[in-house]
Amino acid sequence: MTLDPADWSAFRQQAHRMLDDMLDYLEHLRQRPTWQPLPVTKGSFFRQASPQEPQELSQVHQEFMDYILPYTIGNPHPGFMGWVHGGGTPVGMLAEMLAGGLNVNAGGRHQAPIQLERQLLSWIRHWFEFPPQASGLFVTGTSMANLIGVWIAQRARLGPTLRQQGLAAQAQRPLIAYASAGAHGCIAQALDLSGLGTQALHLIPMNDQYQMDTDALRARVQADRAAGLEPFLVVGTAGSVDVGAVDDLADLASFCRAQELWFHVDGAYGALGCLSPQLAPYLAGIQQADSIAFDFHKWGQVPYDAGFILVREDTLQRQTFATPAAYLRRDTRGAAAGSPWPCDYGPDLSRGFRALKTWFTLKVYGTRALGEMMANTCTLAQQLGALISAHPRLELLAPITLNIVCFRFRCPDPNTVNAQLLMELHESGLALPSSTTLQGQFALRAAIVNHRTTLQDLETLVAAVLHFGMLLAPEPN
Ligand SMILES: *Cc1c(COP(=O)(O)O)cnc(C)c1O
């Protein structure tokens, strides 16, 4: 039997309805709450037996409309400022549909999708001023890209025997990595998964701008060497998850070069700032990294998921991952030509066509407009900062470097009240910031990543914070 429609023309009509519903959703996002909880009465929908008998597509789509579409976390919505999530675009959505239709397995072989991914690699190389022999790979996200960076750095340090003998053969040389205390948690996780363990990550304190204190890094590396440890990797952060700080990448790069350490940059959302002449200066030094991890699905607004790892030296990336297998034989002609393949550059064999939605996004909007959009989110962050500073019941809790604003409502017992306030705010559907803890203080955190967010949305956020704050704690200190 085939799974294709028996009646293509009826299927087409249903397909148009589904597309229309999705375009309606995107066109009228503002009329919806930013977020709403799944009603308790709808919960049982997600606890059904597996479907043995077929159901009409139109009926399944209706279930999607009723039970799924209204209850996502809401990152396409202009009021969404929680965490660092991209908003997506209608163009990206269509590209995802095309990629689904082609059903490309982009693990390798002789096909245009692999050429397209190489085309994107060459653009990305150009943005970061990387040499022609630099390699790269689309991956799920920056968590995976950082892990790949750690694996390559480890393989580069320990040599080819690592792949047969594992870390056991290196027990005499405890490798040590360094990152800012403000680094994302996936860096420690990458050290864990690479077999070195989280204790092999030495966290370096931050200065008052939330950047890695590079003097402290120098002292720590020197002390570790004196203690018989083997420093091998420094991870710089470009756009920290808490406050959006950018480490002094130029200083880190020159230190790493002098000390022969691998320099990896976690630029999850910040690295794409290189597309904006206004933001690029913050990233000075990123061009000298050995590897850069970043996401197209955050500031780049490409639909989830689309992470990328860029590596200065193709050979090193291939030596870390390429695995010979008879069924992956390469030919010089025919469908199995075109070696090396993407599967030689990372742990995945089968992989989707993430390059397509990224290519559509870059082509249709152009890198200039994308850079301007990112710079605009930073301008909005400064405007939000000004609204907060101007109000006696609000205070900023960290300097605003890029597009993240940490603040709170002023009151007695601010940690408890602001945590409560945040939940009220979420459930109101008016705006959706998230939270973090800065120097022991609970902070409301607005990450303005979405291209749809405007000053009006920030005014709504401020008004809602004041409204719920005044209800919870009418009197100031
Ligand atoms: C989001 C983020 C990550 C993780 O990236 P994913 O794409 O979610 O895996 C890592 N580091 C920083 C600084 C981030 O903002």
Side-chain angles (χ1 to χ4, degrees):
M1 74 172 280
T2 170
L3 300 179
D4 285 332
D7 177 350
W8 277 97
S9 101
F11 187 87
R12 261 171 218 273
Q13 283 179 12
Q14 176 58 25
H16 288 150
R17 277 194 290 274
M18 290 170 70
L19 185 57
D20 263 346
D21 279 348
M22 220 48 222
L23 293 173
D24 280 346
Y25 171 80
L26 291 176
E27 186 179 351
H28 305 298
L29 275 169
R30 252 177 212 288
Q31 294 162 18
R32 298 178 163 272
T34 304
W35 176 84
Q36 58 185 332
L38 183 77
V40 181
T41 51
K42 291 192 173 182
S44 61
F45 176 78
F46 298 95
R47 294 188 291 273
Q48 303 178 38
S50 94
Q52 228 174 13
E53 301 307 324
Q55 223 178 316
E56 285 300 329
L57 174 60
S58 57
Q59 204 185 337
V60 179
H61 178 241
Q62 194 54 51
E63 292 179 347
F64 164 81
M65 294 301 290
D66 293 342
Y67 292 93
I68 299 170
L69 177 138
Y71 307 111
T72 67
I73 198 65
N75 45 303
H77 195 286
F80 185 93
M81 301 154 208
W83 306 281
V84 179
H85 286 16
T89 66
V91 168
M93 176 184 89
L94 294 176
E96 276 287 65
M97 188 184 70
L98 304 186
L102 290 177
N103 191 28
V104 166
N105 181 343
R109 305 180 182 87
H110 191 39
Q111 51 174 338
I114 307 293
Q115 300 294 324
L116 190 75
E117 192 162 340
R118 292 203 186 109
Q119 162 76 93
L120 279 156
L121 168 62
S122 86
W123 293 347
I124 294 163
R125 265 198 306 248
H126 177 72
W127 300 342
F128 293 105
E129 299 172 30
F130 265 45
Q133 73 272 20
S135 52
L137 190 71
F138 274 95
V139 293
T140 41
T142 294
S143 302
M144 178 52 89
N146 281 331
L147 176 57
I148 289 176
V150 169
W151 273 328
I152 299 171
Q154 192 184 35
R155 163 65 184 75
R157 175 58 61 113
L158 296 178
T161 56
L162 173 69
R163 295 197 61 190
Q164 290 78 44
Q165 298 170 15
L167 287 170
Q170 308 291 342
Q172 301 312 307
R173 301 158 67 190
L175 296 189
I176 303 295
Y178 303 83
S180 155
H184 194 276
C186 67
I187 305 294
Q189 190 196 43
L191 269 292
D192 164 10
L193 297 177
S194 69
L196 295 172
T198 54
Q199 288 176 5
L201 179 64
H202 288 182
L203 292 179
I204 306 300
M206 295 177 281
N207 63 22
D208 59 2
Q209 295 298 304
Y210 291 83
Q211 298 170 300
M212 190 195 307
D213 176 343
T214 50
D215 288 336
L217 172 69
R218 286 181 166 81
R220 189 76 200 262
V221 168
Q222 194 179 13
D224 285 347
R225 286 200 199 281
L229 304 176
E230 186 166 334
F232 81 113
L233 165 69
V234 173
V235 179
T237 297
S240 70
V241 65
D242 275 332
V243 303
V246 184
D247 287 339
D248 185 340
L249 303 178
D251 194 21
L252 292 181
S254 67
F255 174 69
C256 287
R257 201 173 326 110
Q259 294 279 321
E260 298 185 344
L261 302 173
W262 187 277
F263 179 36
H264 175 81
V265 174
D266 175 357
Y269 84 85
L272 277 183
C274 69
L275 296 180
S276 156
Q278 209 174 315
L279 301 178
Y282 289 102
L283 301 168
I286 199 170
Q287 302 81 358
Q288 297 161 57
D290 293 299
S291 50
I292 305 174
F294 66 98
D295 283 324
F296 283 100
H297 58 221
K298 289 179 171 174
W299 244 355
Q301 316 292 337
V302 171
Y304 284 84
D305 50 29
F308 201 86
I309 175 74
L310 179 67
V311 181
R312 180 168 298 277
E313 196 45 69
D314 180 296
T315 330
L316 284 174
Q317 186 168 6
R318 231 165 344 121
Q319 284 171 346
T320 307
F321 295 103
T323 310
Y327 47 83
L328 295 178
R329 184 191 134 87
R330 316 299 159 92
D331 294 327
T332 51
R333 289 165 38 215
S339 185
W341 294 343
C343 65
D344 303 324
Y345 291 87
D348 292 318
L349 177 53
S350 295
R351 46 200 292 281
F353 192 7
R354 298 186 182 98
L356 188 69
K357 58 192 172 185
T358 310
W359 180 75
F360 261 96
T361 302
L362 293 169
K363 295 269 284 186
V364 171
Y365 300 106
T367 55
R368 188 185 319 119
L370 291 171
E372 282 167 8
M373 173 270 299
M374 293 176 220
N376 185 53
T377 63
C378 298
T379 305
L380 287 170
Q382 294 296 338
Q383 290 172 324
L384 176 58
L387 292 174
I388 290 162
S389 304
H391 200 285
R393 293 299 302 268
L394 299 174
E395 65 181 323
L396 282 174
L397 292 182
I400 305 165
T401 308
L402 298 174
N403 56 340
I404 298 183
V405 182
C406 291
F407 67 108
R408 69 178 171 189
F409 184 71
R410 281 185 207 259
C411 55
D413 194 9
N415 287 356
T416 312
V417 170
N418 281 274
Q420 189 87 37
L421 189 162
L422 182 66
M423 291 185 281
E424 297 288 348
L425 197 55
H426 285 177
E427 290 175 358
S428 75
L430 292 169
L432 201 157
S434 56
S435 67
T436 190
T437 304
L438 297 174
Q439 290 156 2
Q441 302 298 307
F442 182 93
L444 302 171
R445 172 173 165 281
I448 305 162
V449 185
N450 191 331
H451 59 99
R452 300 186 177 99
T453 302
T454 63
L455 183 57
Q456 178 203 325
D457 299 300
L458 303 179
E459 287 164 352
T460 303
L461 167 71
V462 167
V465 166
L466 288 169
H467 170 75
F468 291 114
M470 295 301 279
L471 284 179
L472 290 164
E475 302 299 327
N477 290 26

